[in-house]
Amino acid sequence: MKTKKILLQESELPEKWYNIVAEMTTKPEPMIHPGTKQPLTVADLSPLFAEELAKQELNETDAWIEIPEEVRDKYKIYRPTPLVRAYGLEKALDTPAHIYFKNESVSPVGSHKLNSALPQAYYNKKEGTTNLTTETGAGQWGTALSFAAKAFGLELAVYMVKLSYEQKPYRRSLMQAWGAQVIASPSMSTKAGRTILTDKPNYQGSLGTAISEAIELAMQTPHCKYALGSVLNHVSLHQTVIGLEAEKQMEMAGEYPDIVVGCFGGGSNFSGISFPFLRHKIKGGKQTRFIAAEPRSCPKLTRGKFQYDFGDEAGYTPLIPMFTLGHNFTPAHIHAGGLRYHGAGSIVSQLLKDGLIEAVDVQQLDTFKAGILFAQTEGIIPAPESTHAIAVTVDEALKAKEEGRSKTILFNLSGHGLIDMAAYDQYLAGDLVNYEVSDDEISKNLNN
Amino acid sequence: MKTKKILLQESELPEKWYNIVAEMTTKPEPMIHPGTKQPLTVADLSPLFAEELAKQELNETDAWIEIPEEVRDKYKIYRPTPLVRAYGLEKALDTPAHIYFKNESVSPVGSHKLNSALPQAYYNKKEGTTNLTTETGAGQWGTALSFAAKAFGLELAVYMVKLSYEQKPYRRSLMQAWGAQVIASPSMSTKAGRTILTDKPNYQGSLGTAISEAIELAMQTPHCKYALGSVLNHVSLHQTVIGLEAEKQMEMAGEYPDIVVGCFGGGSNFSGISFPFLRHKIKGGKQTRFIAAEPRSCPKLTRGKFQYDFGDEAGYTPLIPMFTLGHNFTPAHIHAGGLRYHGAGSIVSQLLKDGLIEAVDVQQLDTFKAGILFAQTEGIIPAPESTHAIAVTVDEALKAKEEGRSKTILFNLSGHGLIDMAAYDQYLAGDLVNYEVSDDEISKNLNN
């Protein structure tokens, strides 16, 4: 019988995260303090983040950073995750391509986000933090941090993008079941929220706004820090457990990917699956293609501009060198809420600039079509975010068929869509639409 | 580092199911044809079920029945499932007990139900069936059979208990995403449904009614058979993969359970986790306690009567020797929809009568309290059904603490509750209540 799932034992859990910055030939440009206009220091970041996380954020020298035992111990709740050969999908596509996916949906919170939530909660607890704040788009990060905060004994307040708060009530319930406080954003509880609500009373929120609110609350609360689930370097660092496990598992399968695909919001799962394989490409090894799959309605990588920009709506964050649509860009109301973010992290932005990775944009209807095909052939209902990676994988598998040659494709199934069934309902009822952003809209926000 | 998850490789998947009937000293009394009053034959069952399933249903001689390769191949989508040591729960309870759970929630449909859905779809396909009908309570069985039918190329119609249809819209969406047709029951599409609706227009449905509707449709449709997700012997047979894997895994952990716990609706997951361990008890081996955890609002095992009864509301099924509350019993609207069934399968009923297993009933609020504790300590949101097993496990672990002695407890986490968050919402808001059945209510239905 053919092996479907390639499993690692807990004893094979990675002991270190991989810090790609240390090995990049061209380092990302530094993040800038908006007041001093100087490159950011650990001291600049420490009021907001646990010091160890601030150090990881700016670490350009250590390629490998040890994973604390306490974090590895919690990882064991769901890690190592399976690498799965998608025989069912291959058969349906009648493709010579070998399709593998890393199944991060087995996490109890339903996505890869727990990989960074656990260490972030751990370091904060260790340094005496009692309260955390964060934002969440689709709710994946918020649910992850809710469980992680509970696991390490921290209180948590989550600002949830209002659109998702209303579209995804089950995610709110999940966060509450794990003990977190959940506030729809924009809210009246912060200056940033009030300002936006005064200006646009019906504003459905964005990740940028929710970040502003979470930062503001953290700055005003004693022993309280902020936690972010994507974009930043330390988040990408923690997510490399995905790719490090996948590398071992691909080796067990006797294969190496020609193409690696991840969906793209701020970069956390894409970085996680890609960086450990990218390190060989950087060093002149196998020239694997790395494809970031973003929504056509939020095309920061394919149509954004590389420039310094804020990470949030209100301009509380450092200036980040990023591919961006402008920090005031409001994406359409697509169901892949986790991909509704205006910019890309600085490492991924540099890699794209240097041609080491590629990006493609995908329309909403195509992503759901791919999601249903995947569900019916592999059994798992994918998260609307993950369907972007599946759609690109399907395209590449069909190209392989046209070209009549085999190819090994690995994609990251960042999460399941069991809590997003309202979106599938709408898709099956024919009620979903595509969204396209005009050039005018993009340049308007970039010049703001 | 301590091992949390005990994993088997795909090559260690069981090759045979365990048929406990063949080894029982006192066999269950036979099912009876209601017309002829004679013990049921394969010929009686074949119009309704695939012939191979009918044979399995009545097989009293073969203790081991081979699992077809095609079924094992599909099992590999999620099996073998992990056996998990609940260190977090143990710590929170400060108990000397060792608590293990078999994690059936990793199935892509979210519960153990796929274990029987896959072979049922397989045998039907093999014998030329084109269409299947079934019923579903909470939706767990319906979602499982939806994917299984798709996997083997069958059409499926699911009668879903109206209460669940309204409480759990995501389960309906899941079934539709996998390609099934879903009808709220009672419906006007069958005589059984119309009769009940005429009598009680606001009736919220029951498993008994939904079964009647599904059977009626199957009998009237060419090349169409019926499939049931619990109660029957062949379902329990398929579910023994749970306990067979768990037995190997407990051995790897160097332990053997003193207590095995499963929640109880019709018996499928309880049988699955118990029978492989029970076979040693039957033969005079280790005298493990087996505890079926049922809702206090539907207490067929603790307060029902052992007698011949129909498996459905309308009386279309054979007469089954069962602990029952009467086939017209309407359980309260608890959220553990999968446990709202009036009777127990004939094997489990005989085992209970013979004192080989025990049963306890649990109040709704206690089950959700246990569910939240489990979620916060082990990360996984359990299905409302599974929380019954957790509540009993917690009780036994606390007894072990009082008695000051260690005990090894194994329970089956039959499914996750990600799609049942509305129930958790209500619990956290203080809106859930307990239900108690009066003696009068029970005797009224039994004498009906």
Side-chain angles (χ1 to χ4, degrees), chain B residues 282-353:
Chain B
I282 289 176
K283 294 173 187 170
K286 173 107 179 176
Q287 295 303 295
T288 297
R289 291 175 57 202
F290 297 90
I291 310 179
E294 66 180 5
R296 188 158 299 170
S297 54
C298 192
K300 73 215 79 166
L301 296 176
T302 50
R303 295 171 66 200
K305 202 169 145 191
F306 183 80
Q307 64 183 32
Y308 272 96
D309 197 1
F310 289 108
D312 69 323
E313 167 98 23
Y316 290 161
T317 70
L319 286 161
I320 306 172
M322 48 159 59
F323 276 92
T324 178
L325 296 163
H327 66 279
N328 295 123
F329 179 81
T330 305
H333 295 176
I334 57 168
H335 279 277
L339 309 186
R340 293 175 77 251
Y341 183 70
H342 67 277
S346 64
I347 302 175
V348 166
S349 293
Q350 188 64 44
L351 292 167
L352 181 65
K353 202 161 159 249

Side-chain angles (χ1 to χ4, degrees), chain B residues 91-341:
Chain B
K91 194 176 159 199
L93 298 172
D94 187 25
T95 175
H98 293 190
I99 304 176
Y100 291 85
F101 61 93
K102 182 70 169 160
N103 188 3
E104 292 293 303
S105 80
V106 300
S107 139
V109 305
S111 83
H112 69 293
K113 291 291 189 187
L114 202 47
N115 299 334
S116 185
L118 288 167
Q120 290 196 46
Y122 166 76
Y123 289 120
N124 271 290
K125 181 70 182 181
K126 200 178 159 196
E127 296 179 18
T129 306
T130 58
N131 291 58
L132 284 177
T133 69
T134 197
E135 77 297 324
T136 197
Q140 300 272 24
W141 168 246
T143 48
L145 195 63
S146 297
F147 173 59
K150 177 59 69 178
F152 287 106
L154 296 165
E155 296 296 322
L156 173 67
V158 182
Y159 285 92
M160 184 174 189
V161 173
K162 195 181 276 173
L163 177 69
S164 295
Y165 188 90
E166 284 160 11
Q167 268 182 353
K168 300 171 197 254
Y170 281 18
R171 289 232 188 261
R172 172 185 48 72
S173 315
L174 276 172
M175 293 185 254
Q176 290 167 337
W178 280 312
Q181 192 192 343
V182 188
I183 310 110
S185 167
S187 77
M188 295 300 281
S189 68
T190 64
K191 185 162 166 291
R194 286 191 297 273
T195 305
I196 291 165
L197 281 176
T198 308
D199 195 31
K200 312 181 199 168
N202 296 316
Y203 188 57
Q204 288 294 291
S206 72
L207 271 173
T209 305
I211 293 173
S212 299
E213 294 206 89
I215 290 178
E216 193 181 318
L217 181 65
M219 297 304 285
Q220 291 171 352
T221 311
H223 309 295
C224 182
K225 301 268 177 174
Y226 165 72
L228 185 69
S230 192
V231 182
L232 294 178
N233 300 352
H234 67 273
V235 180
S236 295
L237 173 75
H238 303 152
Q239 292 294 352
T240 58
V241 286
I242 303 172
L244 292 167
E245 287 178 10
E247 196 187 357
K248 276 192 207 174
Q249 290 164 311
M250 290 298 291
E251 202 180 315
M252 287 161 73
E255 305 221 40
Y256 193 91
D258 298 302
I259 302 176
V260 173
V261 187
C263 64
F264 199 92
S268 75
N269 98 89
F270 175 77
S271 304
I273 188 81
S274 297
F275 289 179
F277 292 100
L278 243 167
R279 83 179 193 274
H280 304 301
K281 186 173 182 175
I282 289 176
K283 294 173 187 170
K286 173 107 179 176
Q287 295 303 295
T288 297
R289 291 175 57 202
F290 297 90
I291 310 179
E294 66 180 5
R296 188 158 299 170
S297 54
C298 192
K300 73 215 79 166
L301 296 176
T302 50
R303 295 171 66 200
K305 202 169 145 191
F306 183 80
Q307 64 183 32
Y308 272 96
D309 197 1
F310 289 108
D312 69 323
E313 167 98 23
Y316 290 161
T317 70
L319 286 161
I320 306 172
M322 48 159 59
F323 276 92
T324 178
L325 296 163
H327 66 279
N328 295 123
F329 179 81
T330 305
H333 295 176
I334 57 168
H335 279 277
L339 309 186
R340 293 175 77 251
Y341 183 70

Side-chain angles (χ1 to χ4, degrees), chain A residues 1-5 7-10 69 72-73 76-80 108 147 150 167 169-170 172-174 176-179 372 375-381 416 418-422 425 428, chain B residues 1-5 7-10 69 72-73 76-80 108 147 150 167 169-170 172-174 176-179 372 375-381 416 418-422 425 428:
Chain A
M1 277 206 311
K2 296 182 291 188
T3 302
K4 180 152 182 75
K5 301 184 304 300
L7 302 177
L8 298 172
Q9 295 294 328
E10 289 178 359
E69 276 304 287
R72 293 181 76 227
D73 206 54
K76 290 190 295 185
I77 289 175
Y78 61 106
R79 303 210 73 84
F147 173 60
K150 177 58 70 178
Q167 267 181 353
Y170 281 19
R172 172 184 51 70
S173 315
L174 275 173
Q176 291 167 336
W178 280 311
I372 290 282
Q376 296 194 346
T377 53
E378 293 294 325
I380 304 168
I381 307 275
H416 64 63
L418 293 175
I419 305 188
D420 303 284
M421 291 313 297
D425 246 11
L428 292 171
Chain B
M1 277 206 311
K2 296 181 291 188
T3 302
K4 180 153 182 73
K5 301 185 303 302
L7 302 177
L8 297 172
Q9 295 294 330
E10 289 177 359
E69 276 303 289
R72 293 181 76 227
D73 207 53
K76 290 191 294 184
I77 289 175
Y78 62 106
R79 304 208 72 86
F147 173 59
K150 177 59 69 178
Q167 268 182 353
Y170 281 18
R172 172 185 48 72
S173 315
L174 276 172
Q176 290 167 337
W178 280 312
I372 291 282
Q376 296 195 345
T377 54
E378 293 294 325
I380 305 168
I381 307 275
H416 64 64
L418 293 175
I419 305 185
D420 302 285
M421 291 315 296
D425 247 11
L428 291 171

